Amino acid sequence: MSVLVFGAGTNYALLLISRYREELARETDHRRALVAAWRATAPAIVASNVTVVLALSTLALAVIPGTRGLGIASAVGLLIALAAVLLVLPPALAVCGRRLFWPFAPRVGDIAATGRVWGAVAQRVSRRPWVPLVGGLALLGVLAGGLAGASVGLTQVEKFRVVSESAAGLTVLGDHFPAGEAQPMIVIGDTAEADALVAAIDDVPGVLRVSATGESSDGALTRLLVVGEPAPGTPASLDLVSAVRGAVQTVPDADAVVGGPVAADLDAREGNRRDLLLVVPLVLAVSLLVLIVLLRSLVAPVLLLAVNILSAVAAIGAGTWLSRVVFGWDALDLQVPLLSFLFLVALGIDYTIFLVHRARTEARTVGTRQGMVRALTATGGVITSAGVVLAAVFAALGLLPLVTLGQIGLIVGIGVLVDTFVVRTLVVPAIFAIVGERMWWPRKAGGAGSRGDRHGHRPHGGEYEDAAVAISADVD
């Protein structure tokens, strides 16, 4: 939760401060510049925050308690981060003024060097959009291929990245005793049917021993200890739990239930699978709805969400392959697919909103194609900075001893970098260049193709476009 809140809050702050610096290059009064920056970025920041908060809130429907708790706590944390950036940070910026950027304080008329670089990239993509689009989608497809042969579910020994006494003890126990001794199944049933339960369970292949270990205080229930042959957490042990549960059902009057750590592991797998099938469609629906409301379009949200899904799948595929080949983790832990997909889609929408909201604003005066050029020119630097920061923050999870956190950090870190350098820089601008004004259907962005307003004034961002055109011409 702390990693997610810190990373997302930093993204919001970078977007506001970057726009503030941009306005300082046009406005002599730093507080007027701050007002303009706040008004320009607040809708995108709020929309981004609402998307992630609503996506995390869907975890309240999860059956796994840890997943449910993470969603609620993280949603509250992100709301606090939003309040800090929009209400606490602006007064601090107003007090500091241009001194905040010392020793590179912007002056009126300055053109950011990063704007020149991203402007050249934007012009290149706009002129030949099919090349970056096909290349970017091909790269995402290759990365997604890492999911081939992937498996989900770690054994008890595999859950720690570093040496642990519990894993070592489990290994030693398996070397000298039946591996199932470490985590036997526990069966609770009616005392009157205890003998029938023992006989039914004892007939299950893979069961080594069944013994009664006690009765309830009123004598109505009996506790049975079932030792299996397979090691805990292995597919064989999970199959054995299902077989034992089937066996006790053959004694209907016993009203027996099967528990214990291995049975809980099986239930956790089923619960995570159920949560994945429930939460993922809800997250996608929330993201699509927010994009439709923000962009007032149907075409753009659908295309952007489709690209975002492909980017998330590609990141999970690349992370899965690296986990298996480089780090020796043969499988993903149970919660990794759901949480990774949630973080990737929700945080990827952040960058989509930052870029496309600016593109829609610019398109009102210069049209969609040049509007995207201006948007990428102005936001390329801040989106890249935010992506690198967020990837580094999630990469820090790899230092922790739990494989689960390491896998989430690896997948999300890769996903953020791919989203920053491939999707937001190449694929999305290429789609806008190809589809053009139809991106805003059924509405229009307005002012398509205009180079200025009716008074002949250049709209904000024009100096970046001039720089982009000049550098692109030099490169050509």
Side-chain angles (χ1 to χ4, degrees), residues 102-172:
W102 184 88
F104 306 106
R107 296 171 297 180
V108 175
D110 283 352
I111 299 177
T114 55
R116 294 176 178 269
V117 174
W118 289 107
V121 173
Q123 287 289 348
R124 290 280 190 152
V125 173
S126 178
R127 289 173 182 172
R128 303 177 182 87
W130 284 105
V131 174
L133 177 61
V134 174
L137 294 179
L139 175 61
L140 295 179
V142 170
L143 295 179
L147 287 172
S151 60
V152 178
L154 297 173
T155 66
Q156 296 294 325
V157 177
E158 295 171 335
K159 290 187 176 183
F160 285 90
R161 185 179 60 84
V162 297
V163 177
S164 67
E165 290 188 16
S166 59
L170 194 62
T171 301
V172 172

Side-chain angles (χ1 to χ4, degrees), residues 165-255:
E165 290 188 16
S166 59
L170 194 62
T171 301
V172 172
L173 181 65
D175 292 339
H176 300 278
F177 299 92
E181 292 276 8
Q183 294 182 354
M185 286 173 274
I186 299 171
V187 179
I188 304 293
D190 189 272
T191 299
E193 302 292 335
D195 291 340
L197 281 175
V198 170
I201 297 171
D202 199 42
D203 289 338
V204 176
V207 171
L208 299 178
R209 185 173 67 256
V210 185
S211 56
T213 59
E215 296 182 356
S216 59
S217 57
D218 59 359
L221 300 175
T222 294
R223 180 176 184 269
L224 304 178
L225 204 63
V226 181
V227 176
E229 184 177 359
T234 60
S237 70
L238 302 177
D239 292 339
L240 183 59
V241 172
S242 298
V244 170
R245 284 177 169 173
V248 300
Q249 295 302 315
T250 62
V251 189
D253 294 337
D255 196 23

Side-chain angles (χ1 to χ4, degrees), residues 397-428:
L397 292 176
L399 301 176
L400 301 179
L402 292 177
V403 171
T404 304
L405 297 180
Q407 290 178 336
I408 292 176
L410 175 65
I411 292 173
V412 177
I414 292 173
V416 169
L417 292 178
V418 169
D419 199 80
T420 301
F421 290 103
V422 178
V423 175
R424 231 49 61 191
T425 303
L426 301 175
V427 176
V428 170

Side-chain angles (χ1 to χ4, degrees), residues 70-97:
L70 174 66
I72 296 172
S74 297
V76 173
L78 285 174
L79 289 175
I80 295 173
L82 175 68
V85 171
L86 292 185
L87 302 179
V88 179
L89 179 59
L93 297 177
V95 170
C96 295

Side-chain angles (χ1 to χ4, degrees), residues 354-364 367 371-372 375 432 440:
F354 294 167
L355 175 64
V356 178
H357 179 264
R358 181 64 178 266
R360 187 176 187 277
T361 301
E362 298 289 352
R364 293 169 182 168
M372 176 54 71
F432 269 73
W440 313 113

Side-chain angles (χ1 to χ4, degrees), residues 143 146 315-329 410-411 414:
L143 295 179
I316 296 174
T320 301
W321 185 83
L322 287 174
S323 294
R324 184 171 62 248
V325 175
V326 177
F327 298 99
W329 301 327
L410 175 65
I411 292 173
I414 292 173

